PDB file of all heavy atoms in Angstrom:
ATOM      1  N   VAL A   1    -158.784-118.404  30.369  1.00 95.00           N
ATOM      2  CA  VAL A   1    -159.314-117.532  31.419  1.00 95.00           C
ATOM      3  C   VAL A   1    -160.706-117.072  30.991  1.00 95.00           C
ATOM      4  O   VAL A   1    -161.009-117.015  29.798  1.00 95.00           O
ATOM      5  CB  VAL A   1    -158.400-116.302  31.660  1.00 95.00           C
ATOM      6  CG1 VAL A   1    -157.022-116.730  32.119  1.00 95.00           C
ATOM      7  CG2 VAL A   1    -158.304-115.437  30.408  1.00 95.00           C
ATOM      8  N   PRO A   2    -161.569-116.750  31.937  1.00 93.00           N
ATOM      9  CA  PRO A   2    -162.913-116.292  31.568  1.00 93.00           C
ATOM     10  C   PRO A   2    -162.883-114.947  30.858  1.00 93.00           C
ATOM     11  O   PRO A   2    -161.905-114.200  30.958  1.00 93.00           O
ATOM     12  CB  PRO A   2    -163.637-116.202  32.921  1.00 93.00           C
ATOM     13  CG  PRO A   2    -162.548-116.111  33.935  1.00 93.00           C
ATOM     14  CD  PRO A   2    -161.386-116.875  33.387  1.00 93.00           C
ATOM     15  N   LEU A   3    -163.945-114.633  30.146  1.00 89.00           N
ATOM     16  CA  LEU A   3    -164.015-113.376  29.406  1.00 89.00           C
ATOM     17  C   LEU A   3    -163.817-112.169  30.309  1.00 89.00           C
ATOM     18  O   LEU A   3    -163.180-111.183  29.927  1.00 89.00           O
ATOM     19  CB  LEU A   3    -165.361-113.260  28.678  1.00 89.00           C
ATOM     20  CG  LEU A   3    -165.581-114.173  27.469  1.00 89.00           C
ATOM     21  CD1 LEU A   3    -166.973-113.940  26.891  1.00 89.00           C
ATOM     22  CD2 LEU A   3    -164.502-113.955  26.411  1.00 89.00           C
ATOM     23  N   ASP A   4    -164.357-112.250  31.535  1.00 88.00           N
ATOM     24  CA  ASP A   4    -164.247-111.093  32.421  1.00 88.00           C
ATOM     25  C   ASP A   4    -162.889-110.992  33.106  1.00 88.00           C
ATOM     26  O   ASP A   4    -162.684-110.142  33.960  1.00 88.00           O
ATOM     27  CB  ASP A   4    -165.359-111.093  33.475  1.00 88.00           C
ATOM     28  CG  ASP A   4    -165.344-112.331  34.357  1.00 88.00           C
ATOM     29  OD1 ASP A   4    -164.404-113.145  34.236  1.00 88.00           O
ATOM     30  OD2 ASP A   4    -166.275-112.482  35.184  1.00 88.00           O
ATOM     31  N   ALA A   5    -161.926-111.861  32.709  1.00 90.00           N
ATOM     32  CA  ALA A   5    -160.553-111.736  33.212  1.00 90.00           C
ATOM     33  C   ALA A   5    -159.795-110.636  32.495  1.00 90.00           C
ATOM     34  O   ALA A   5    -158.696-110.261  32.900  1.00 90.00           O
ATOM     35  CB  ALA A   5    -159.803-113.063  33.067  1.00 90.00           C
ATOM     36  N   ARG A   6    -160.391-110.114  31.419  1.00 88.00           N
ATOM     37  CA  ARG A   6    -159.743-109.031  30.689  1.00 88.00           C
ATOM     38  C   ARG A   6    -159.942-107.725  31.441  1.00 88.00           C
ATOM     39  O   ARG A   6    -161.072-107.325  31.733  1.00 88.00           O
ATOM     40  CB  ARG A   6    -160.352-108.913  29.288  1.00 88.00           C
ATOM     41  CG  ARG A   6    -159.784-107.771  28.460  1.00 88.00           C
ATOM     42  CD  ARG A   6    -160.302-107.818  27.035  1.00 88.00           C
ATOM     43  NE  ARG A   6    -159.870-106.641  26.289  1.00 88.00           N
ATOM     44  CZ  ARG A   6    -160.064-106.478  24.975  1.00 88.00           C
ATOM     45  NH1 ARG A   6    -160.664-107.422  24.278  1.00 88.00           N
ATOM     46  NH2 ARG A   6    -159.653-105.383  24.362  1.00 88.00           N
ATOM     47  N   LEU A   7    -158.846-107.050  31.771  1.00 85.00           N
ATOM     48  CA  LEU A   7    -158.933-105.795  32.505  1.00 85.00           C
ATOM     49  C   LEU A   7    -159.613-104.731  31.648  1.00 85.00           C
ATOM     50  O   LEU A   7    -159.280-104.566  30.471  1.00 85.00           O
ATOM     51  CB  LEU A   7    -157.539-105.306  32.910  1.00 85.00           C
ATOM     52  CG  LEU A   7    -156.874-106.026  34.077  1.00 85.00           C
ATOM     53  CD1 LEU A   7    -155.518-105.402  34.362  1.00 85.00           C
ATOM     54  CD2 LEU A   7    -157.725-105.988  35.326  1.00 85.00           C
ATOM     55  N   GLY A   8    -160.552-104.024  32.248  1.00 72.00           N
ATOM     56  CA  GLY A   8    -161.243-102.966  31.539  1.00 72.00           C
ATOM     57  C   GLY A   8    -162.416-103.434  30.711  1.00 72.00           C
ATOM     58  O   GLY A   8    -163.146-102.615  30.144  1.00 72.00           O
ATOM     59  N   TRP A   9    -162.639-104.757  30.650  1.00 59.00           N
ATOM     60  CA  TRP A   9    -163.710-105.272  29.815  1.00 59.00           C
ATOM     61  C   TRP A   9    -165.082-104.831  30.317  1.00 59.00           C
ATOM     62  O   TRP A   9    -166.005-104.629  29.548  1.00 59.00           O
ATOM     63  CB  TRP A   9    -163.631-106.789  29.746  1.00 59.00           C
ATOM     64  CG  TRP A   9    -164.458-107.391  28.639  1.00 59.00           C
ATOM     65  CD1 TRP A   9    -165.482-108.277  28.760  1.00 59.00           C
ATOM     66  CD2 TRP A   9    -164.309-107.168  27.233  1.00 59.00           C
ATOM     67  NE1 TRP A   9    -165.986-108.612  27.526  1.00 59.00           N
ATOM     68  CE2 TRP A   9    -165.276-107.945  26.567  1.00 59.00           C
ATOM     69  CE3 TRP A   9    -163.443-106.374  26.461  1.00 59.00           C
ATOM     70  CZ2 TRP A   9    -165.414-107.951  25.183  1.00 59.00           C
ATOM     71  CZ3 TRP A   9    -163.590-106.387  25.093  1.00 59.00           C
ATOM     72  CH2 TRP A   9    -164.555-107.161  24.467  1.00 59.00           C
ATOM     73  N   HIS A  10    -165.195-104.677  31.644  1.00 57.00           N
ATOM     74  CA  HIS A  10    -166.472-104.216  32.206  1.00 57.00           C
ATOM     75  C   HIS A  10    -166.808-102.809  31.697  1.00 57.00           C
ATOM     76  O   HIS A  10    -167.967-102.469  31.488  1.00 57.00           O
ATOM     77  CB  HIS A  10    -166.423-104.233  33.733  1.00 57.00           C
ATOM     78  CG  HIS A  10    -165.430-103.284  34.323  1.00 57.00           C
ATOM     79  ND1 HIS A  10    -164.062-103.457  34.174  1.00 57.00           N
ATOM     80  CD2 HIS A  10    -165.586-102.145  35.048  1.00 57.00           C
ATOM     81  CE1 HIS A  10    -163.430-102.466  34.787  1.00 57.00           C
ATOM     82  NE2 HIS A  10    -164.329-101.663  35.326  1.00 57.00           N
ATOM     83  N   THR A  11    -165.755-101.992  31.495  1.00 54.00           N
ATOM     84  CA  THR A  11    -165.972-100.638  30.969  1.00 54.00           C
ATOM     85  C   THR A  11    -166.420-100.692  29.517  1.00 54.00           C
ATOM     86  O   THR A  11    -167.325 -99.956  29.094  1.00 54.00           O
ATOM     87  CB  THR A  11    -164.680 -99.807  31.078  1.00 54.00           C
ATOM     88  OG1 THR A  11    -164.243 -99.799  32.435  1.00 54.00           O
ATOM     89  CG2 THR A  11    -164.909 -98.377  30.619  1.00 54.00           C
ATOM     90  N   VAL A  12    -165.812-101.577  28.733  1.00 51.00           N
ATOM     91  CA  VAL A  12    -166.183-101.721  27.325  1.00 51.00           C
ATOM     92  C   VAL A  12    -167.626-102.205  27.211  1.00 51.00           C
ATOM     93  O   VAL A  12    -168.396-101.738  26.361  1.00 51.00           O
ATOM     94  CB  VAL A  12    -165.226-102.700  26.609  1.00 51.00           C
ATOM     95  CG1 VAL A  12    -165.689-102.958  25.183  1.00 51.00           C
ATOM     96  CG2 VAL A  12    -163.811-102.138  26.606  1.00 51.00           C
ATOM     97  N   MET A  13    -168.011-103.122  28.076  1.00 54.00           N
ATOM     98  CA  MET A  13    -169.358-103.682  28.006  1.00 54.00           C
ATOM     99  C   MET A  13    -170.426-102.652  28.353  1.00 54.00           C
ATOM    100  O   MET A  13    -171.559-102.736  27.883  1.00 54.00           O
ATOM    101  CB  MET A  13    -169.475-104.892  28.945  1.00 54.00           C
ATOM    102  CG  MET A  13    -168.586-106.067  28.551  1.00 54.00           C
ATOM    103  SD  MET A  13    -168.847-106.661  26.857  1.00 54.00           S
ATOM    104  CE  MET A  13    -170.457-107.414  27.023  1.00 54.00           C
ATOM    105  N   THR A  14    -170.067-101.678  29.200  1.00 56.00           N
ATOM    106  CA  THR A  14    -171.046-100.665  29.591  1.00 56.00           C
ATOM    107  C   THR A  14    -170.992 -99.424  28.694  1.00 56.00           C
ATOM    108  O   THR A  14    -172.015 -98.793  28.443  1.00 56.00           O
ATOM    109  CB  THR A  14    -170.832-100.234  31.049  1.00 56.00           C
ATOM    110  OG1 THR A  14    -169.480 -99.769  31.215  1.00 56.00           O
ATOM    111  CG2 THR A  14    -171.086-101.401  31.991  1.00 56.00           C
ATOM    112  N   GLU A  15    -169.804 -99.094  28.199  1.00 57.00           N
ATOM    113  CA  GLU A  15    -169.649 -97.871  27.411  1.00 57.00           C
ATOM    114  C   GLU A  15    -169.464 -98.123  25.919  1.00 57.00           C
ATOM    115  O   GLU A  15    -169.431 -97.188  25.129  1.00 57.00           O
ATOM    116  CB  GLU A  15    -168.458 -97.060  27.934  1.00 57.00           C
ATOM    117  CG  GLU A  15    -168.603 -96.613  29.386  1.00 57.00           C
ATOM    118  CD  GLU A  15    -167.434 -95.782  29.853  1.00 57.00           C
ATOM    119  OE1 GLU A  15    -166.684 -95.284  28.985  1.00 57.00           O
ATOM    120  OE2 GLU A  15    -167.266 -95.634  31.075  1.00 57.00           O
ATOM    121  N   GLY A  16    -169.292 -99.394  25.538  1.00 58.00           N
ATOM    122  CA  GLY A  16    -169.084 -99.717  24.134  1.00 58.00           C
ATOM    123  C   GLY A  16    -167.604 -99.745  23.775  1.00 58.00           C
ATOM    124  O   GLY A  16    -166.733 -99.398  24.584  1.00 58.00           O
ATOM    125  N   PHE A  17    -167.307-100.165  22.549  1.00 54.00           N
ATOM    126  CA  PHE A  17    -165.912-100.329  22.131  1.00 54.00           C
ATOM    127  C   PHE A  17    -165.180 -99.003  21.998  1.00 54.00           C
ATOM    128  O   PHE A  17    -163.953 -98.975  21.883  1.00 54.00           O
ATOM    129  CB  PHE A  17    -165.850-101.114  20.818  1.00 54.00           C
ATOM    130  CG  PHE A  17    -166.078-102.580  20.985  1.00 54.00           C
ATOM    131  CD1 PHE A  17    -167.357-103.110  20.888  1.00 54.00           C
ATOM    132  CD2 PHE A  17    -165.027-103.433  21.260  1.00 54.00           C
ATOM    133  CE1 PHE A  17    -167.578-104.474  21.057  1.00 54.00           C
ATOM    134  CE2 PHE A  17    -165.236-104.790  21.433  1.00 54.00           C
ATOM    135  CZ  PHE A  17    -166.518-105.316  21.331  1.00 54.00           C
ATOM    136  N   GLY A  18    -165.919 -97.890  22.032  1.00 58.00           N
ATOM    137  CA  GLY A  18    -165.252 -96.594  22.034  1.00 58.00           C
ATOM    138  C   GLY A  18    -164.446 -96.355  23.287  1.00 58.00           C
ATOM    139  O   GLY A  18    -163.614 -95.445  23.339  1.00 58.00           O
ATOM    140  N   ALA A  19    -164.679 -97.195  24.318  1.00 54.00           N
ATOM    141  CA  ALA A  19    -163.943 -97.052  25.578  1.00 54.00           C
ATOM    142  C   ALA A  19    -162.557 -97.694  25.511  1.00 54.00           C
ATOM    143  O   ALA A  19    -161.738 -97.503  26.413  1.00 54.00           O
ATOM    144  CB  ALA A  19    -164.739 -97.679  26.726  1.00 54.00           C
ATOM    145  N   LEU A  20    -162.261 -98.448  24.448  1.00 57.00           N
ATOM    146  CA  LEU A  20    -160.971 -99.141  24.354  1.00 57.00           C
ATOM    147  C   LEU A  20    -159.769 -98.208  24.465  1.00 57.00           C
ATOM    148  O   LEU A  20    -158.810 -98.512  25.179  1.00 57.00           O
ATOM    149  CB  LEU A  20    -160.897 -99.947  23.056  1.00 57.00           C
ATOM    150  CG  LEU A  20    -161.614-101.302  23.069  1.00 57.00           C
ATOM    151  CD1 LEU A  20    -161.591-101.926  21.678  1.00 57.00           C
ATOM    152  CD2 LEU A  20    -160.982-102.238  24.088  1.00 57.00           C
ATOM    153  N   PRO A  21    -159.757 -97.054  23.761  1.00 57.00           N
ATOM    154  CA  PRO A  21    -158.602 -96.153  23.915  1.00 57.00           C
ATOM    155  C   PRO A  21    -158.417 -95.680  25.360  1.00 57.00           C
ATOM    156  O   PRO A  21    -157.289 -95.531  25.827  1.00 57.00           O
ATOM    157  CB  PRO A  21    -158.942 -94.985  22.983  1.00 57.00           C
ATOM    158  CG  PRO A  21    -159.859 -95.569  21.962  1.00 57.00           C
ATOM    159  CD  PRO A  21    -160.682 -96.572  22.717  1.00 57.00           C
ATOM    160  N   LYS A  22    -159.532 -95.462  26.070  1.00 58.00           N
ATOM    161  CA  LYS A  22    -159.429 -95.026  27.457  1.00 58.00           C
ATOM    162  C   LYS A  22    -158.823 -96.118  28.324  1.00 58.00           C
ATOM    163  O   LYS A  22    -157.957 -95.857  29.159  1.00 58.00           O
ATOM    164  CB  LYS A  22    -160.810 -94.648  28.000  1.00 58.00           C
ATOM    165  CG  LYS A  22    -160.798 -94.160  29.436  1.00 58.00           C
ATOM    166  CD  LYS A  22    -162.129 -93.595  29.868  1.00 58.00           C
ATOM    167  CE  LYS A  22    -163.160 -94.685  30.016  1.00 58.00           C
ATOM    168  NZ  LYS A  22    -164.442 -94.175  30.549  1.00 58.00           N
ATOM    169  N   VAL A  23    -159.249 -97.365  28.097  1.00 56.00           N
ATOM    170  CA  VAL A  23    -158.692 -98.492  28.847  1.00 56.00           C
ATOM    171  C   VAL A  23    -157.205 -98.633  28.550  1.00 56.00           C
ATOM    172  O   VAL A  23    -156.388 -98.848  29.451  1.00 56.00           O
ATOM    173  CB  VAL A  23    -159.437 -99.801  28.494  1.00 56.00           C
ATOM    174  CG1 VAL A  23    -158.750-100.995  29.138  1.00 56.00           C
ATOM    175  CG2 VAL A  23    -160.895 -99.723  28.941  1.00 56.00           C
ATOM    176  N   ALA A  24    -156.827 -98.494  27.265  1.00 64.00           N
ATOM    177  CA  ALA A  24    -155.421 -98.605  26.880  1.00 64.00           C
ATOM    178  C   ALA A  24    -154.576 -97.528  27.552  1.00 64.00           C
ATOM    179  O   ALA A  24    -153.445 -97.791  27.991  1.00 64.00           O
ATOM    180  CB  ALA A  24    -155.285 -98.517  25.362  1.00 64.00           C
ATOM    181  N   SER A  25    -155.109 -96.314  27.642  1.00 62.00           N
ATOM    182  CA  SER A  25    -154.348 -95.232  28.272  1.00 62.00           C
ATOM    183  C   SER A  25    -154.166 -95.477  29.757  1.00 62.00           C
ATOM    184  O   SER A  25    -153.131 -95.138  30.331  1.00 62.00           O
ATOM    185  CB  SER A  25    -155.047 -93.885  28.040  1.00 62.00           C
ATOM    186  OG  SER A  25    -156.294 -93.841  28.711  1.00 62.00           O
ATOM    187  N   VAL A  26    -155.164 -96.090  30.383  1.00 63.00           N
ATOM    188  CA  VAL A  26    -155.052 -96.425  31.808  1.00 63.00           C
ATOM    189  C   VAL A  26    -153.954 -97.451  32.024  1.00 63.00           C
ATOM    190  O   VAL A  26    -153.122 -97.335  32.931  1.00 63.00           O
ATOM    191  CB  VAL A  26    -156.400 -96.947  32.346  1.00 63.00           C
ATOM    192  CG1 VAL A  26    -156.228 -97.560  33.730  1.00 63.00           C
ATOM    193  CG2 VAL A  26    -157.416 -95.821  32.407  1.00 63.00           C
ATOM    194  N   LEU A  27    -153.922 -98.471  31.170  1.00 66.00           N
ATOM    195  CA  LEU A  27    -152.888 -99.500  31.292  1.00 66.00           C
ATOM    196  C   LEU A  27    -151.505 -98.922  31.043  1.00 66.00           C
ATOM    197  O   LEU A  27    -150.533 -99.272  31.720  1.00 66.00           O
ATOM    198  CB  LEU A  27    -153.176-100.641  30.319  1.00 66.00           C
ATOM    199  CG  LEU A  27    -154.412-101.491  30.635  1.00 66.00           C
ATOM    200  CD1 LEU A  27    -154.694-102.458  29.504  1.00 66.00           C
ATOM    201  CD2 LEU A  27    -154.226-102.237  31.950  1.00 66.00           C
ATOM    202  N   LYS A  28    -151.408 -98.020  30.062  1.00 66.00           N
ATOM    203  CA  LYS A  28    -150.117 -97.381  29.787  1.00 66.00           C
ATOM    204  C   LYS A  28    -149.647 -96.569  30.983  1.00 66.00           C
ATOM    205  O   LYS A  28    -148.452 -96.545  31.327  1.00 66.00           O
ATOM    206  CB  LYS A  28    -150.226 -96.488  28.557  1.00 66.00           C
ATOM    207  CG  LYS A  28    -148.917 -95.832  28.156  1.00 66.00           C
ATOM    208  CD  LYS A  28    -149.092 -94.974  26.903  1.00 66.00           C
ATOM    209  CE  LYS A  28    -147.780 -94.299  26.515  1.00 66.00           C
ATOM    210  NZ  LYS A  28    -147.942 -93.440  25.328  1.00 66.00           N
ATOM    211  N   ALA A  29    -150.590 -95.915  31.653  1.00 65.00           N
ATOM    212  CA  ALA A  29    -150.235 -95.080  32.802  1.00 65.00           C
ATOM    213  C   ALA A  29    -149.679 -95.906  33.954  1.00 65.00           C
ATOM    214  O   ALA A  29    -148.886 -95.406  34.753  1.00 65.00           O
ATOM    215  CB  ALA A  29    -151.454 -94.286  33.266  1.00 65.00           C
ATOM    216  N   THR A  30    -150.064 -97.186  34.015  1.00 70.00           N
ATOM    217  CA  THR A  30    -149.562 -98.018  35.111  1.00 70.00           C
ATOM    218  C   THR A  30    -148.046 -98.204  35.029  1.00 70.00           C
ATOM    219  O   THR A  30    -147.380 -98.425  36.044  1.00 70.00           O
ATOM    220  CB  THR A  30    -150.232 -99.401  35.119  1.00 70.00           C
ATOM    221  OG1 THR A  30    -149.907-100.099  33.915  1.00 70.00           O
ATOM    222  CG2 THR A  30    -151.737 -99.276  35.242  1.00 70.00           C
ATOM    223  N   LEU A  31    -147.505 -98.135  33.805  1.00 73.00           N
ATOM    224  CA  LEU A  31    -146.060 -98.298  33.653  1.00 73.00           C
ATOM    225  C   LEU A  31    -145.294 -97.190  34.361  1.00 73.00           C
ATOM    226  O   LEU A  31    -144.125 -97.359  34.734  1.00 73.00           O
ATOM    227  CB  LEU A  31    -145.685 -98.338  32.170  1.00 73.00           C
ATOM    228  CG  LEU A  31    -146.211 -99.551  31.390  1.00 73.00           C
ATOM    229  CD1 LEU A  31    -145.939 -99.372  29.904  1.00 73.00           C
ATOM    230  CD2 LEU A  31    -145.569-100.832  31.905  1.00 73.00           C
ATOM    231  N   GLU A  32    -145.947 -96.030  34.518  1.00 74.00           N
ATOM    232  CA  GLU A  32    -145.286 -94.918  35.198  1.00 74.00           C
ATOM    233  C   GLU A  32    -145.197 -95.161  36.707  1.00 74.00           C
ATOM    234  O   GLU A  32    -144.382 -94.546  37.393  1.00 74.00           O
ATOM    235  CB  GLU A  32    -146.058 -93.618  34.944  1.00 74.00           C
ATOM    236  CG  GLU A  32    -146.300 -93.292  33.475  1.00 74.00           C
ATOM    237  CD  GLU A  32    -145.014 -92.959  32.750  1.00 74.00           C
ATOM    238  OE1 GLU A  32    -144.074 -92.500  33.417  1.00 74.00           O
ATOM    239  OE2 GLU A  32    -144.951 -93.162  31.523  1.00 74.00           O
ATOM    240  N   THR A  33    -146.057 -96.056  37.215  1.00 73.00           N
ATOM    241  CA  THR A  33    -146.196 -96.222  38.660  1.00 73.00           C
ATOM    242  C   THR A  33    -144.903 -96.664  39.332  1.00 73.00           C
ATOM    243  O   THR A  33    -144.553 -96.170  40.408  1.00 73.00           O
ATOM    244  CB  THR A  33    -147.312 -97.238  38.972  1.00 73.00           C
ATOM    245  OG1 THR A  33    -148.527 -96.777  38.387  1.00 73.00           O
ATOM    246  CG2 THR A  33    -147.507 -97.390  40.471  1.00 73.00           C
ATOM    247  N   THR A  34    -144.193 -97.614  38.736  1.00 74.00           N
ATOM    248  CA  THR A  34    -143.023 -98.188  39.408  1.00 74.00           C
ATOM    249  C   THR A  34    -141.714 -97.509  39.038  1.00 74.00           C
ATOM    250  O   THR A  34    -140.664 -97.907  39.544  1.00 74.00           O
ATOM    251  CB  THR A  34    -142.910 -99.688  39.086  1.00 74.00           C
ATOM    252  OG1 THR A  34    -142.912 -99.863  37.666  1.00 74.00           O
ATOM    253  CG2 THR A  34    -144.071-100.456  39.687  1.00 74.00           C
ATOM    254  N   ARG A  35    -141.748 -96.511  38.200  1.00 79.00           N
ATOM    255  CA  ARG A  35    -140.480 -95.868  37.824  1.00 79.00           C
ATOM    256  C   ARG A  35    -139.787 -95.211  39.024  1.00 79.00           C
ATOM    257  O   ARG A  35    -138.566 -95.328  39.159  1.00 79.00           O
ATOM    258  CB  ARG A  35    -140.709 -94.879  36.679  1.00 79.00           C
ATOM    259  CG  ARG A  35    -140.980 -95.612  35.375  1.00 79.00           C
ATOM    260  CD  ARG A  35    -141.136 -94.720  34.182  1.00 79.00           C
ATOM    261  NE  ARG A  35    -141.292 -95.517  32.963  1.00 79.00           N
ATOM    262  CZ  ARG A  35    -141.532 -95.024  31.769  1.00 79.00           C
ATOM    263  NH1 ARG A  35    -141.648 -93.716  31.618  1.00 79.00           N
ATOM    264  NH2 ARG A  35    -141.660 -95.808  30.723  1.00 79.00           N
ATOM    265  N   PRO A  36    -140.500 -94.506  39.901  1.00 83.00           N
ATOM    266  CA  PRO A  36    -139.823 -93.978  41.099  1.00 83.00           C
ATOM    267  C   PRO A  36    -139.256 -95.094  41.980  1.00 83.00           C
ATOM    268  O   PRO A  36    -138.187 -94.946  42.568  1.00 83.00           O
ATOM    269  CB  PRO A  36    -140.935 -93.208  41.820  1.00 83.00           C
ATOM    270  CG  PRO A  36    -141.902 -92.851  40.752  1.00 83.00           C
ATOM    271  CD  PRO A  36    -141.891 -94.023  39.816  1.00 83.00           C
ATOM    272  N   TYR A  37    -139.982 -96.213  42.060  1.00 78.00           N
ATOM    273  CA  TYR A  37    -139.539 -97.353  42.860  1.00 78.00           C
ATOM    274  C   TYR A  37    -138.241 -97.930  42.297  1.00 78.00           C
ATOM    275  O   TYR A  37    -137.277 -98.192  43.031  1.00 78.00           O
ATOM    276  CB  TYR A  37    -140.651 -98.409  42.861  1.00 78.00           C
ATOM    277  CG  TYR A  37    -140.278 -99.761  43.392  1.00 78.00           C
ATOM    278  CD1 TYR A  37    -140.119 -99.974  44.755  1.00 78.00           C
ATOM    279  CD2 TYR A  37    -140.108-100.849  42.534  1.00 78.00           C
ATOM    280  CE1 TYR A  37    -139.798-101.227  45.249  1.00 78.00           C
ATOM    281  CE2 TYR A  37    -139.787-102.105  43.017  1.00 78.00           C
ATOM    282  CZ  TYR A  37    -139.633-102.288  44.379  1.00 78.00           C
ATOM    283  OH  TYR A  37    -139.313-103.533  44.853  1.00 78.00           O
TER     284      TYR A  37
END
């Protein structure tokens, strides 16, 4: 897959690798989305 297929990579490229924890927390939060479903 292309490099830009990585979710959140655009944020890392603009904010630097310090943005990785923020991207990880966003992905973790998605797991909460379907629990009510």
